[in-house]
Amino acid sequence: MPRIKGGYLRKIARVDLNRGKFKVESVKHEFAIKYIGGRGWGARILWDEVSVTVDPLSADNKVIVATGPLTGLLIPGAAKTSFNTISPQTGLYGDSNMGGMFGTELKQAGFDALILEKAASNPCYIWIENGMIEVRDARHLWGMGSLDAEIALKKELGDELIRVASIGPAGEKLVKFACVTGDYGRQAGRTGIGAVLGSKKVKAIAVRGDQDIPVADIDALETVFEEAENYLTKHRDLRIWQRQGTMTTVDWSQINAALPTRNFQAATYENYQLINGDSMETRTKIANRACFMCPMACGQYNLVKQGSHQGISVEGPEYETASLLGSNCALPTIEDVVYANHLCDNFGIDTISAGNVAAFAMECFEKGILTKEQVGGLELRFGNSEALFQLLEMIAYRKGIGDLLAEGVKKASQTIGKGSEKFAMQVKGLEISGYDHRAAQAQALAYATCDVGAHHNRAWAITYDIKVGREAYSKDKAEWVIYLQHIRPLFDCLGTCRLQWVELALDPEYYARFYSAATGVPVTLAGLLKASERIYNLTRAISLRRGLTAKDDWLPDRDFEDPVSDGSISAAKLDRNKFRDLLRLYYELRGWDENGIPTREKLGELELGDVSKELEPLRAQK
Ligand code: SF4
C-alpha cells in the first residue's frame, strides 16, 4: 500500500460531547485510501461504530464531519465537507455535503474530520482552533436562527473570518428535515443532520486555522490546476453560471416538462418566468458568492427590494429551492421565493423537503383532506405566499399542524390517511428533489435506488432520458444510473464540487491527477470509481442492516397513476411492471441479489468481505 505524502492530514478529532473532551486519532494509510475521505470515511466509521439499532436522535448516534483529501487545495471548487449520520428522516444511512469555506478552515485547523459522539447536557458550540477543541456553553445562542447564530458567534469571538456551521430552531426542535448552514448560506441540507446535532445539543461548530495543508507534489498540482482553470475560465457557459448559477435550470425544466408544480401534479408552471434566473437577475440579485477556489461562483446573493419583506437578503435561491418552494407551491414572484428561502435558512430547514412538505399540505387542503381549522386557520392554497411563510414557521417551531409536518411527508401522510399517501412525494422517507420523473425512467430509477432517499445529488439522470428517449425502460438507462451513482458521490468523497464536471464538462480524469499530485498516491479514475462503488455498497449495507428491503426502492403511487399531461409531455406516467423489471435489471447489473442485497461475490470483489459476513443473516431470511 503506497504511503500518503499530502492531501490528507490523517487526523480525526473524536469529540465526547457529554464530557466536553476530545482526543486526536491518527488515520491509517490503508483506511484513508480505501474509503477516500468525506462520505466514504463517514460511512465506514458509522458501519464500525454505530449500533445497528440506534435511535437516530439518541446520544448513541454519531455525526461524522469529514473533509476529503482535496478539500482546501489548489483545485477548482475544492470546498466540500460531508456530514454523515444515521438519518432521523429515513432511519437509514444519511449524509449531506456543504460547500463554502468551512472544510478548508477545518483542515487548516489541523483536522480532516470530526467524530461527534454522545450528547451535551446543555446547549453548546464546538470551538476549534489550530489543533485545540473546546466544547463551550451556547445557552445564549439556543433559540437563534442559523444565520443569526453565525453573526452572533463571529461577533462574540471577534473574528469575521471564523467559519461557522450552525443549526436553527428547527434543529433544536428535532424537525426531521433540519439542516446545517455554513458561511451564511451554504447548507448540508438533506437527511436531517441538523436534527441530529440538535439532539446532541450542538448549536454550532466554529473553526479557525492557519496551518498549511501538505501537498505531495506542489509543482504537479499547480500544473494540473492551471490546465483545469484555463479550460474552465474559457468555457462559453462560465458567464451564465456566474450570472444565474443553477437558476438557469428553471427554464430548462420548464421546456422539458420536468418542473415540479403544485406538488408534482403538473410538470410545467404557467408563471415560471416570474421565478426563473432572468427574473432573479433583474429583480433581486445583488452579488455573487463563490466557494473556496471556485471560478464558477454559482452562489447568488439576493435582496427583496420591494413589498412587505423588503430588506430581507439571503444567499439563494438555487434551482432546487426555486422549483420546490417556487413552482411546487405555485409562488407568484421571485421575491416570495427569496423570502421563503431566507426563512428556511434561518429556521434551519432543508428547502427541498420544506417545499415538498408545504406543497403536500396545500394539496391536502385543496382536496378537503385537511380543514382550515386543522391548519391553524390558514387559507393554505397553492400560490398563497403568506400562508406558506406562516406554515414554515409552524413547522420550524412544531406548532399546530407544523408538529406533524415536521416529521416529513411520509409520516404525515400515514397519519393523515384519506389517500394522501399517494401524493406524499418521497422515497425511503426523503422528499423528492426538483425533477418530475414520470417521463424519465432513468431519473425515476435513480430516485428509487438512491442510498439516502430521493436525492438528485447521487444521480441526475434525466438529461440522459431526454437524450435517448423518454419512454424507454432500457438496460443502458440502468447502466447509466449506476455509473452516475459512482461518479457523482466520488466528488463528495474527494471534497470537491461536481458542478465543474457536470455543467462545464471538465474531464473527470483531472480528479485522478489532482488526487495523485496532492497525496503522492498514484490512482486512475477507474480506481477512484471502484472505491466509490465500494462506498455505495457499504452505505447500502448500513441501511440493509437497519431494516431496508427491496420494497423501499420504490416510488409514490402518483408516479404510476397520475399522468403528466402538460408541456411537451402528454399522458406520461410510469408503468409498474416495466419499472419493476428495470429495477431487477439494475440489481443484477450491480451484483445484488433479487432482494437488493449485494452478493458475497460483489462484496468480495470490493474488498468488503467483513461487511458481507454481517449480511449473512439477511441473506438467510430471504
Ligand atoms: S460551482 Fe457553486 S457550489 Fe460548486 S464550488 Fe463553485 S460556487 Fe460552490
Side-chain angles (χ1 to χ4, degrees), residues 43-53 86 91-92 538-548 610-611 614-615 618:
R44 185 68 217 199
I45 293 166
L46 287 169
W47 173 269
D48 287 339
E49 297 190 11
V50 174
S51 138
V52 177
T53 56
I86 300 299
L92 307 170
L538 178 60
T539 58
R540 178 82 178 180
I542 293 172
S543 294
L544 286 167
R545 208 167 59 159
R546 289 185 59 80
L548 177 87
D610 60 327
V611 172
E614 288 217 31
L615 297 185
L618 298 179

Side-chain angles (χ1 to χ4, degrees), residues 248-294:
T248 58
T249 314
V250 173
D251 289 6
W252 181 90
S253 282
Q254 172 77 10
I255 292 162
N256 289 296
L259 186 64
T261 301
R262 294 181 175 82
N263 198 32
F264 287 83
Q265 291 181 88
T268 56
Y269 181 39
E270 66 280 10
N271 290 327
Y272 79 99
Q273 286 169 312
L274 303 179
I275 61 159
N276 67 359
D278 289 346
S279 178
M280 175 193 74
E281 226 183 330
T282 52
R283 294 178 67 86
T284 55
K285 179 171 172 177
I286 52 172
N288 275 74
R289 291 192 77 205
C291 300
F292 178 74
M293 290 301 299
C294 182

Side-chain angles (χ1 to χ4, degrees), residues 76-80 99-100 186 241 289-299 315 496-500:
K80 297 290 186 174
R186 293 281 167 176
W241 269 82
R289 291 192 77 205
C291 300
F292 178 74
M293 290 301 299
C294 182
M296 290 173 76
C298 80
E315 181 177 342
T496 60
C497 179
R498 70 179 64 79
L499 291 179
Q500 293 73 18

Side-chain angles (χ1 to χ4, degrees), residues 83 98-99 101-103 105 125-127 141 146-155 157 159-167 180-186 203-208:
F83 289 69
M98 187 168 81
M101 309 294 279
F102 181 86
E105 201 76 25
Y125 75 90
I126 300 166
W127 168 235
L141 302 173
S146 283
L147 308 175
D148 301 332
E150 180 168 352
I151 294 167
L153 254 181
K154 286 181 172 172
K155 197 168 165 199
L157 296 167
D159 185 352
E160 181 55 32
L161 292 178
I162 286 166
R163 304 299 170 184
V164 176
S166 59
I167 64 165
V180 186
T181 293
D183 290 319
Y184 299 125
R186 293 281 167 176
K203 181 69 183 175
I205 307 167
V207 58
R208 193 76 166 98

